[in-house]
Amino acid sequence: QLANIGVIGMAVMGSNLARNLAHRGHRVAVYNRTTSKTDAVIAEHGSEGDFRPAAELADFVASLERPRRIIIMVKAGAGTDATIDALIPLLEEGDIVVDGGNAFFEDTRRREEKLRGHGLHFVGAGISGGEVGALEGPSIMPGGSPESYEALGPILESIAAQVDGEPCCTYIGTDGAGHFVKMVHNGIEYADMQFIGEAFELLKALGLSHDEMADVFATWNTGDLDSYLIEITSEVLRKRDPNTGAPLVEVIVDAAGMKGTGTWTVQSALNLGTPVNSIAESVFARAISSAPELRAAAQKALQGPDGAINVADRDLFIDQIRQALWASKVVAYAQGLDEIRMAGLEYGWDINVGEVAKIWRGGCIIRAKLLERIRSEYAANQLVTLLEAPSVASGLADAQDAWREVVAVAVRAGVPVPGFSSALAHYDQARAPRLNAALTQGLRDYFGAHTYKRVDREGSFHINWSTDGAEVDGTDTH
Ligand code: NDP
């Protein structure tokens, strides 16, 4: 009997995914450009299931039943293109090529079109959960033709994380939809981590020890903030440096790294014109952390409060931080889901946003209790944005006094909270009956004759600013 699924790429992600497939009873063909890696995986894990290792790509392809289902897990970018180009001449019409790497969705759209031209299905599948998720059950976001999902979906669903008996894998939409959703997942992950970082800094400014902070996060993890990232924050804060015995976070250099998916999320949002300011602030917060020259120069020149926070009721303020964190998190999720909705309209993906929340409930880095509420709100209501969902709007209303207090105290103390404050600004912008954009339009008409619309009549208008000051029809002006 031929293999029913193949995996190319035996680095950490591909080998763990192949093992996961084998553990679920699949017959897994495996291949890696460098054969010694395949050999090593088989030597160590070959007894865990039905593996079919191949040293040559042609043998790998020949070992698969048709339509062939092949998951590529190689270095994103040139590695993916090289693998695809090597595969194309070996495949036959109807075969399915899955890219499980972290590809940019525009690359996925390009590759899908190219493979479609060869009569092949191309599925861009976002896979979240890191190496442990790949092995034990990731969240999987596949995009491609609906027909390809019929052949592929059951296999992917069998290896995905399960929550309440439902797999964390669902068909997302055509071509780049899956990788787009995975990209936004990562953008939300950036925001989640930024908010946690701000809460950490505020707790520290209050004078809590690292063990006390770890206890606070552990307690928060038993309530509305229950999530993987809050859980591991507690563990990281409690960890002592094996060398010095100091809290580990105090010996780690405060310069955050990034691989680009947060940046992509913001760039794509800018292209779509959809507001994701709290995600953007999270990317920029990493950027300033990793700008040593700028920071050194500014540290010498700039004055301000020393960052200590003194409040009358410490426990009350700690609870207010919890509420600010929860409210900001809701806004970041709303912004990410808004971006997905807008991309769906732009690219014709017909994405079910509630289903996206559903498959993020397990396996992935942003898995959180909040996602169950988001899923059920989208299931029960036709939502333009998550913020209008009844339980979300009332939760934000309850949290907003605390949220404003935390931002105000932080600003006065000189503790930077770009995540909390930008999320709050979004909340206030979104609910405002009038925005200052009216003045912007007036200014644009003044210096560039860009015209404006009126609140009381249809059409576009322009003021003859430099001549008689009269209002004229602006239809032909710009
Ligand atoms: P790496 O990104 O480190 O890539 C190494 C693999 O890519 C090796 O199998 C290597 O083969 C292969 N490769 C590189 N260049 C080429 C090429 N030109 N032609 C053929 N094969 C090539 O592996 P990871 O397992 O870390 O990640 C795989 C994918 O999964 C990436 O797209 C990554 O972004 C994504 N991902 C990773 C996560 C993680 O936590 N690491 C989480 C989610 C997704 P060789 O041995 O011959 O060099």
Side-chain angles (χ1 to χ4, degrees):
Q1 209 177 3
L2 293 170
N4 66 329
I5 183 92
V7 180
I8 298 180
M10 286 294 110
V12 55
M13 287 297 288
S15 60
N16 279 358
L17 209 63
R19 291 171 61 203
N20 185 350
L21 286 158
H23 297 167
R24 306 284 161 190
H26 298 291
R27 303 178 303 280
V28 192
V30 293
Y31 169 84
N32 192 72
R33 179 180 61 173
T34 310
T35 309
S36 58
K37 256 191 216 167
T38 311
D39 296 343
V41 171
I42 296 303
E44 199 172 341
H45 303 290
S47 61
E48 293 172 13
D50 188 347
F51 295 100
R52 317 286 177 87
E56 298 298 331
L57 191 60
D59 295 336
F60 166 85
V61 168
S63 73
L64 285 158
E65 69 182 22
R66 300 215 45 223
R68 298 184 180 90
R69 290 166 285 217
I70 298 173
I71 303 176
I72 302 176
M73 281 308 268
V74 304
K75 200 170 184 61
T80 310
D81 280 320
T83 306
I84 290 171
D85 288 342
L87 273 174
I88 287 174
L90 302 171
L91 298 180
E92 292 165 272
E93 196 167 337
D95 286 349
I96 302 166
V97 177
V98 184
D99 175 15
N102 266 336
F104 184 50
F105 78 100
E106 292 283 16
D107 289 332
T108 304
R109 286 164 60 81
R110 168 177 62 76
R111 290 169 182 145
E112 195 277 334
E113 193 180 345
K114 175 171 165 176
L115 267 72
R116 192 157 18 100
H118 289 275
L120 302 169
H121 294 286
F122 185 71
V123 175
I127 301 184
S128 175
E131 51 184 287
V132 175
L135 181 62
E136 295 176 358
S139 175
I140 310 179
M141 296 148 253
S145 64
E147 308 93 271
S148 66
Y149 195 78
E150 275 172 37
L152 185 70
I155 296 182
L156 296 182
E157 289 177 14
S158 75
I159 60 162
Q162 311 280 322
V163 174
D164 300 337
E166 290 181 291
C168 294
C169 172
T170 192
Y171 175 69
I172 303 285
T174 51
D175 58 73
H179 276 138
F180 191 94
V181 166
K182 170 61 170 36
M183 174 190 82
V184 173
H185 162 283
N186 285 29
I188 292 174
E189 179 184 314
Y190 276 55
D192 254 341
M193 290 170 69
Q194 174 62 21
F195 301 148
I196 289 171
E198 291 176 17
F200 156 68
E201 231 176 324
L202 289 165
L203 293 172
K204 210 168 121 180
L206 274 177
L208 270 70
S209 72
H210 290 74
D211 282 340
E212 286 171 329
M213 291 191 266
D215 290 342
V216 167
F217 278 99
T219 307
W220 289 353
N221 196 42
T222 62
D224 271 355
L225 282 172
D226 179 346
S227 63
Y228 173 68
L229 283 169
I230 296 280
E231 177 192 331
I232 66 170
T233 297
S234 177
E235 291 185 28
V236 172
L237 287 174
R238 216 180 287 285
K239 179 74 182 166
R240 296 272 158 179
D241 172 22
N243 305 297
T244 63
L248 179 70
V249 282
E250 300 307 324
V251 301
I252 296 177
V253 173
D254 61 342
M258 46 184 165
K259 283 191 176 168
T261 44
T263 305
W264 290 346
T265 305
V266 178
Q267 285 171 334
S268 303
L270 289 169
N271 290 340
L272 291 163
T274 183
V276 295
N277 63 341
S278 65
I279 297 173
E281 288 292 354
S282 309
V283 177
F284 287 132
R286 291 198 192 188
I288 193 165
S289 79
S290 295
E293 278 189 341
L294 182 158
R295 290 176 64 189
Q299 274 169 42
K300 282 195 212 120
L302 301 183
Q303 318 239 325
D306 64 2
I309 292 179
N310 293 301
V311 289
D313 186 338
R314 201 174 82 155
D315 288 342
L316 173 68
F317 193 67
I318 291 172
D319 195 61
Q320 289 172 327
I321 297 171
R322 175 187 65 78
Q323 296 183 63
L325 177 49
W326 182 83
S328 302
K329 182 182 172 81
V330 168
V331 168
Y333 281 60
Q335 292 182 341
L337 295 174
D338 291 348
E339 181 173 348
I340 288 172
R341 191 181 79 89
M342 294 303 287
L345 296 174
E346 173 73 19
Y347 300 106
W349 286 332
D350 193 24
I351 295 179
N352 181 331
V353 178
E355 288 291 292
V356 169
K358 185 178 107 179
I359 65 166
W360 286 349
R361 291 179 308 162
C364 64
I365 305 298
I366 67 168
R367 59 184 183 265
K369 189 174 165 185
L370 174 64
L371 285 159
E372 175 54 34
R373 186 192 303 212
I374 296 176
R375 184 202 64 78
S376 60
E377 285 286 14
Y378 273 95
N381 303 289
Q382 283 285 341
L383 300 176
V384 174
T385 178
L386 175 65
L387 298 182
E388 63 168 321
S391 76
V392 168
S394 67
L396 291 169
D398 292 344
Q400 66 168 314
D401 286 348
W403 194 7
R404 294 180 195 286
E405 179 66 13
V406 167
V407 170
V409 168
V411 168
R412 270 196 300 273
V415 177
V417 287
F420 287 177
S421 56
S422 63
L424 180 55
H426 181 80
Y427 177 80
D428 283 332
Q429 285 174 321
R431 69 184 187 84
R434 294 267 300 160
L435 292 170
N436 64 32
L439 177 58
T440 303
Q441 286 299 86
L443 296 170
R444 293 179 69 243
D445 189 61
Y446 185 102
F447 66 68
H450 293 299
T451 76
Y452 54 89
K453 290 189 168 30
R454 295 185 56 98
V455 295
D456 54 358
R457 332 200 263 284
E458 291 291 305
S460 52
F461 302 90
H462 167 63
I463 297 285
N464 290 329
W465 294 100
S466 55
T467 56
D468 60 1
E471 181 179 77
V472 295
D473 183 346
T475 314
D476 299 327
T477 311
H478 248 269

